[in-house]
Amino acid sequence: MFQSLQVRNYRLFASGQLIKLIGVWMMFIAQDWLVLELSNNSATALGVVTACQFTPVLLLTLLSGRLADRYDKRVLLFAANSFWSLLAAGMSLLVLTDLVQLWHVFAFAALLGTANAVETPVRQAFVSELVGTPLLPNALSLNAAVFNSARIVGPAVAGLAIAAFDVGPVFLFTAVSSIAPLVNVVRMRTSELQRDALLPRDERASARVIDGLRYVWHRPDLLLPMAVMSVIGMSLFNFQLTLAALAKTVFNTGAASFGLFSTALAVGALGGALSGTGRRSRPSVWLVLGAAIACACFGTLVGLASAYWLVVVLLVPTGFFMVFFAQAANQRVQLGVDAAFRGRVMSLWVLVFLGTNPVGAPLIGWVAEHYGAGASIWMGALLSLAAALIALTWQLRRSGARLRFRVLPMPRFYVTSTD
């Protein structure tokens, strides 16, 4: 399960990410709570700040993928994380001095998104250099486990910290924790990075974004998981927005109870991440689509739940299948791409995974404000379910396979070839 941690460079990478991400998740909770306080509980304002945070991903991430294929990913990571640390320090100063206004949060979210637009695709592509192809599935699953461990700890601690100290100290902790990946990137041994199978230097210098797009367009095995992820990422993966609105406007809870929603989602997500650590080969398209359907079904139930405790319970399997689907799709893309195109392909992956939020977040926020937070969740989940079922139908027809259901010895769906 933890085999990749035997590699020193990956161990430094993962530990730095864990420390930083705990602070990031604390900051997300504090930011959403601050927006609700400054906007008189406006779900639309939450949607706008989410859009500000992810619009740079939509605009810049493809260019970042080109940078990842042309330049030293380790240096790019250091630069992006340095910018992130300066932003967090500036925002914490505004909050602690009570000078913060709503437009400050919008601007901070946009600048933070700019840093993430560079850092995320580079970080995704950098993992293969840390561990090599044989350990790549395990390392990607551990990355998801690190992310969701932070998602468990961060919101829980943030909810208690906001209740005890207000949002200012939370932003300050985020600024301090963001230094960890900077230190660990410097400590990595460059001689141990696995940089084989790259384009020659002159070809790397001419690597173009359009070449990466053409590469994916002619690879249906890469295009299908990206298409499904684009819909689900836009319509369902907005829990940062919808759970805050659900906690405060539907169940009238405080910051600590809102943190419990996020923690329940993250507990399931951590299970989904760890369940893929034993995978050593490329996931099948059927596994990816099955997980997408399960995620959409449980998301629908969360939106329809009328009791607080029932939402908490349902968020656990929702989180499990959400990350199981995202991780399986990520592994299917990463293990199917040529190393020379990895940066550009992973930038496209980040675009459909995160860049669709600016499109969906304001609409989801508007639905939450006018029809209720629960409706915004189950509507998005049903749209995701429709996209997954359409993709399944297309794949079945394309491959000539059939979907069957078996009752004994255990009820399950399975796919058979017409041959």
Side-chain angles (χ1 to χ4, degrees):
M1 181 178 290
F2 303 104
Q3 190 174 1
S4 296
L5 293 178
Q6 296 175 7
V7 181
R8 179 182 182 274
N9 282 345
Y10 180 77
R11 194 163 58 245
L12 289 170
F13 172 82
S15 60
Q17 287 296 309
L18 178 62
I19 295 171
K20 174 189 173 182
L21 288 172
I22 289 174
V24 168
W25 277 106
M26 291 179 65
M27 184 272 296
F28 281 156
I29 300 299
Q31 176 184 270
D32 290 348
W33 209 253
L34 181 63
V35 168
L36 290 173
E37 289 180 347
L38 295 175
S39 65
N40 195 26
N41 295 336
S42 172
T44 300
L46 275 181
V48 171
V49 77
T50 303
C52 289
Q53 190 168 309
F54 289 106
T55 295
V57 177
L58 182 65
L59 299 177
L60 302 175
T61 190
L62 291 179
L63 297 176
S64 301
R66 186 188 181 200
L67 293 176
D69 281 336
R70 293 182 63 183
Y71 301 110
D72 190 329
K73 299 178 183 64
R74 177 172 165 269
V75 174
L76 291 173
L77 280 177
F78 184 86
N81 279 300
S82 298
F83 182 56
W84 205 103
S85 298
L86 291 174
L87 286 175
M91 187 64 186
S92 65
L93 183 63
L94 284 174
V95 177
L96 287 170
T97 56
D98 291 327
L99 297 176
V100 67
Q101 299 178 30
L102 188 58
W103 73 267
H104 291 146
V105 185
F106 292 158
F108 169 71
L111 292 172
L112 175 65
T114 302
N116 283 339
V118 175
E119 192 263 355
T120 305
V122 174
R123 171 168 44 83
Q124 290 274 346
F126 188 51
V127 177
S128 63
E129 293 188 9
L130 294 171
V131 299
T133 302
L135 286 178
L136 186 56
N138 177 259
L140 292 175
S141 295
L142 287 179
N143 280 358
V146 166
F147 180 83
N148 289 289
S149 296
R151 193 194 291 195
I152 291 172
V153 176
V157 175
L160 297 175
I162 293 171
F165 307 109
D166 208 359
V167 294
V170 177
F171 279 97
L172 180 61
F173 179 83
T174 299
V176 174
S177 67
S178 66
I179 300 174
L182 295 176
V183 175
N184 284 1
V185 163
V186 172
R187 293 177 60 200
M188 288 181 183
R189 296 170 183 163
T190 56
S191 61
E192 297 178 5
L193 294 176
Q194 303 189 36
R195 291 171 169 170
D196 299 332
L198 296 178
L199 287 172
R201 185 180 298 274
D202 58 338
E203 293 186 42
R204 267 187 282 158
S206 61
R208 300 179 302 171
V209 172
I210 190 64
D211 294 330
L213 296 177
R214 287 172 179 167
Y215 177 82
V216 173
W217 180 255
H218 294 291
R219 292 285 305 274
D221 60 321
L222 303 180
L223 193 59
L224 182 66
M226 288 190 179
V228 176
M229 176 55 77
S230 67
V231 177
I232 296 181
M234 177 180 65
S235 59
L236 182 57
F237 284 9
N238 286 289
F239 286 113
Q240 178 188 344
L241 158 65
T242 54
L243 291 184
L246 191 69
K248 193 155 190 177
T249 63
V250 176
F251 296 107
N252 299 313
T253 61
S257 297
F258 167 38
L260 182 59
F261 275 175
S262 297
T263 300
L265 186 73
V267 167
L270 178 60
L274 292 176
S275 66
T277 54
R279 190 176 294 133
R280 292 293 180 269
S281 60
R282 194 183 186 204
S284 71
V285 65
W286 312 116
L287 182 69
V288 173
L289 294 176
I293 292 170
C295 173
C297 289
F298 278 105
T300 303
L301 294 177
V302 169
L304 295 174
S306 58
Y308 175 86
W309 65 267
L310 185 57
V311 172
V312 173
V313 171
L314 288 171
L315 281 173
V316 176
T318 302
F320 178 93
F321 284 109
M322 179 180 72
V323 171
F324 189 88
F325 157 65
Q327 193 59 32
N330 188 345
Q331 290 173 346
R332 182 162 179 80
V333 171
Q334 285 240 38
L335 293 173
V337 66
D338 295 329
F341 289 91
R342 192 181 304 276
R344 281 165 289 177
V345 171
M346 292 317 298
S347 70
L348 184 58
W349 167 259
V350 172
L351 178 64
V352 301
F353 187 42
L354 299 177
T356 51
N357 274 273
V359 179
L363 179 60
I364 294 294
W366 183 87
V367 172
E369 191 162 331
H370 290 81
Y371 299 100
S376 70
I377 296 175
W378 64 256
M379 286 181 184
L382 287 180
L383 182 60
S384 300
L385 180 60
L389 291 175
I390 290 172
L392 176 62
T393 303
W394 180 86
Q395 183 64 29
L396 287 170
R397 291 185 175 181
R398 179 175 178 272
S399 63
R402 291 183 179 178
L403 185 66
R404 299 185 183 277
F405 180 73
R406 177 184 297 166
V407 178
L408 297 175
M410 180 181 295
R412 58 174 294 218
F413 286 99
Y414 64 100
V415 177
T416 60
S417 172
T418 54
D419 295 337

